[in-house]
Amino acid sequence: MGKKKNKNKVSGAVKTATKTEKKLANKLKKELANLGEEDIAKVIAEIEREEAKRAAASEKALPNPPTARAYASLTPHPTNNELILFGGEFHNGKQTEVYNDLLFFNAANGAWKQVKAPGAPPPRSAHQAVATPANKGELWVFGGEFTSPSETQFHHYKDLWCFSLAEKKWEKVLAPNGPSARSGHRMVLLGRKLFVFGGYCDDGRECKYFDDLYTFCLDNREWTKLTPTGRGPTARSACVMLPAGNDSDVEETDEELRGEMSDELKVLDLETCRWHPVVLRTDNTDTSAASVAPVAPEEPKEREEITVITDEVFSMRVGASAPASEGPRAARRERAGASGGPCGRMSASLAVQRSQLYVYGGVLERDDKQFYLGDMYSLDLHKLNGWKTIIEQPPLPDWLGSDSEDEWSSGSETDDSEESEED
């Protein structure tokens, strides 16, 4: 009689994958113990439990502006002349702090207040938020990410929250068949539906970008995945719903990527589908003159060699480096920005409320350092008579991180070798 086969026998590949996963989990557990950190899932669950214990909402006026941050949501209040700031993060090169504070800015008197309400979401950044006047005002928040202080652990959310502006309480909306966990996505309100597109998810081992499109109906509270015909946008995060050019990062070498930040302000003419730079008026400017200047034809330049690098998902155009004169010019723009407004930055919060454009915070990249900003500006979109500074940017804080990644790399190699010896 032949040997009876075990139908439950696990293949060698599955065993290897399971063993590898277990080794990685043990390594992470050891690293967290050395850092004094708990598992990120436990931390988030505990925060949510504590927030649920809050019995009633409370408000307090803030004597000072909010702390510096980026990747926060800044949403126009649907009925009042206010802005709603939620979440965001701060990083000083050594540690990261993620927020879940709910702050309101009164555009009339410049005052800030904080609202603490029952059942608030756990801290997050790179989420999306929109507001609707329905039901006396609601703020809807979806997704985002949470990072441990050492940035050893990452967690991406796929939860949906609704804050009642009238009752001042949060509700975690449980609805199946929604988008997967992500951050850096985009969400807009169209009619009575939320539209969610794109984003990415990075668990520290694998990074995945999305090109899917979902809607959430505010009436029946159901998710629907849309499958539009034709060729849609490729997978991406931190995008906008309108095409705004493709010049963002410049590759200097095969291993380094240098970001170029801008303080340009442009408007899209929807009839001609052309972008025009916005010209801010001064006291001596003829107010009858057009505030949006047409793009002047550029003088012919000597053709530069351009290389296109693609991996069939992303494409990058690489050309000649900026002229030497751009150095001092960029430094001047970094200090003052255009017409005394915000300097070039990334990941700032942007909102329009009652014909006023507001810019808050963001990240200033200088060499290998990233400084989180806490300044705020407004621009009257009717008058276009210059930026108004609402919050001055204080001196940049000390950068506590390393200027090079060599230290981290060598440290990681040491840890790996030690683990191999233990095994």
Side-chain angles (χ1 to χ4, degrees):
M1 180 182 291
K3 185 177 179 181
K4 186 177 181 180
K5 294 184 179 180
N6 183 3
K7 295 183 179 180
N8 298 322
K9 186 177 181 180
V10 181
S11 67
V14 173
K15 284 184 177 180
T16 302
T18 304
K19 185 177 180 181
T20 301
E21 190 71 22
K22 186 175 180 181
K23 287 180 65 178
L24 290 173
N26 290 335
K27 180 182 178 182
L28 177 60
K29 187 176 180 180
K30 189 184 301 182
E31 290 176 353
L32 294 179
N34 293 333
L35 294 169
E37 289 185 3
E38 291 188 54
D39 179 74
I40 195 168
K42 294 181 180 179
V43 172
I44 293 172
E46 180 60 28
I47 293 174
E48 202 166 328
R49 281 194 295 269
E50 289 298 318
E51 292 289 351
K53 292 178 182 178
R54 196 183 305 276
S58 63
E59 289 186 15
K60 72 171 182 178
L62 297 181
N64 300 309
T67 57
R69 67 189 67 193
Y71 308 103
S73 59
L74 186 66
T75 311
H77 195 289
T79 57
N80 301 338
N81 189 16
E82 295 180 331
L83 298 174
I84 308 171
L85 181 68
F86 176 71
E89 69 176 43
F90 174 81
H91 180 67
N92 60 9
K94 186 176 182 180
Q95 285 194 323
T96 297
E97 184 174 2
V98 188
Y99 306 107
N100 71 335
D101 44 2
L102 182 63
L103 308 175
F104 290 77
F105 173 73
N106 188 313
N109 58 24
W112 288 89
K113 70 177 180 181
Q114 181 178 24
V115 175
K116 292 186 176 182
R124 65 193 59 211
S125 63
H127 54 281
Q128 286 284 277
V130 297
T132 170
N135 302 318
K136 299 181 180 180
E138 294 175 336
L139 178 72
W140 289 83
V141 177
F142 174 76
E145 64 183 73
F146 180 78
T147 308
S148 67
S150 65
E151 292 196 338
T152 305
Q153 304 178 83
F154 302 90
H155 178 84
H156 290 257
Y157 297 102
K158 59 177 180 179
D159 49 358
L160 181 65
W161 297 79
C162 179
F163 178 73
S164 171
L165 294 168
E167 300 179 8
K168 292 183 174 58
K169 67 177 183 180
W170 286 97
E171 175 192 3
K172 187 174 184 180
V173 180
L174 302 177
N177 306 317
S180 58
R182 65 191 62 198
S183 63
H185 51 285
R186 289 297 175 258
M187 182 172 74
V188 297
L189 175 67
L190 187 60
R192 292 288 295 160
K193 290 184 178 180
L194 302 175
F195 285 75
V196 176
F197 170 76
Y200 83 105
C201 183
D202 183 359
D203 61 3
R205 299 171 191 169
E206 181 185 19
C207 183
K208 183 178 181 181
Y209 286 80
F210 303 104
D211 61 355
D212 46 7
L213 178 64
Y214 287 81
T215 63
F216 180 80
C217 180
L218 300 183
D219 295 321
N220 59 23
R221 295 198 166 190
E222 291 183 354
W223 284 105
T224 301
K225 184 176 182 179
L226 302 183
T227 54
T229 59
R231 183 176 179 180
T234 55
R236 65 194 65 198
S237 70
C239 62
V240 292
M241 293 296 179
L242 290 173
N246 58 357
D247 297 327
S248 59
D249 288 316
V250 178
E251 184 168 321
E252 294 181 316
T253 69
D254 292 337
E255 298 178 353
E256 295 182 7
L257 193 68
R258 174 173 57 86
E260 287 189 348
M261 284 168 272
S262 173
D263 59 1
E264 292 179 321
L265 182 64
K266 295 190 178 184
V267 62
L268 176 65
D269 188 325
L270 296 179
E271 294 184 0
T272 62
C273 289
R274 291 187 62 190
W275 287 97
H276 300 285
V278 175
V279 179
L280 302 184
R281 299 190 183 103
T282 62
D283 294 338
N284 298 326
T285 303
D286 182 4
T287 56
S288 63
S291 59
V292 178
V295 178
E298 295 184 359
E299 296 181 4
K301 296 180 180 180
E302 184 178 338
R303 187 166 183 174
E304 299 176 342
E305 183 179 351
I306 297 176
T307 304
V308 178
I309 302 174
T310 180
D311 59 359
E312 297 183 358
V313 176
F314 301 99
S315 297
M316 182 177 297
R317 296 171 68 250
V318 182
S321 59
S325 59
E326 274 294 294
R329 179 184 174 191
R332 289 196 301 271
R333 290 173 66 180
E334 179 183 297
R335 289 194 300 269
S339 300
C343 65
R345 64 190 64 198
M346 62 182 181
S347 306
S349 299
L350 194 74
V352 175
Q353 176 69 303
R354 301 191 181 182
S355 300
Q356 296 287 327
L357 172 66
Y358 294 90
V359 179
Y360 179 83
V363 179
L364 171 65
E365 199 172 60
R366 184 180 291 172
D367 299 325
D368 291 334
K369 306 171 185 176
Q370 292 186 341
F371 296 96
Y372 283 63
L373 305 175
D375 51 353
M376 186 175 184
Y377 305 85
S378 67
L379 175 66
D380 190 313
L381 296 178
H382 287 314
K383 298 179 180 178
L384 293 175
N385 56 352
W387 289 96
K388 175 184 176 183
T389 302
I390 299 175
I391 304 175
E392 289 274 3
Q393 173 61 38
L396 296 178
D398 292 334
W399 179 255
L400 303 182
S402 171
D403 290 344
S404 172
E405 306 237 348
D406 292 342
E407 266 180 46
W408 183 89
S409 300
S410 61
S412 299
E413 292 172 4
T414 303
D415 293 341
D416 292 340
S417 62
E418 288 177 357
E419 183 182 358
S420 300
E421 291 176 5
E422 291 177 3
D423 292 341

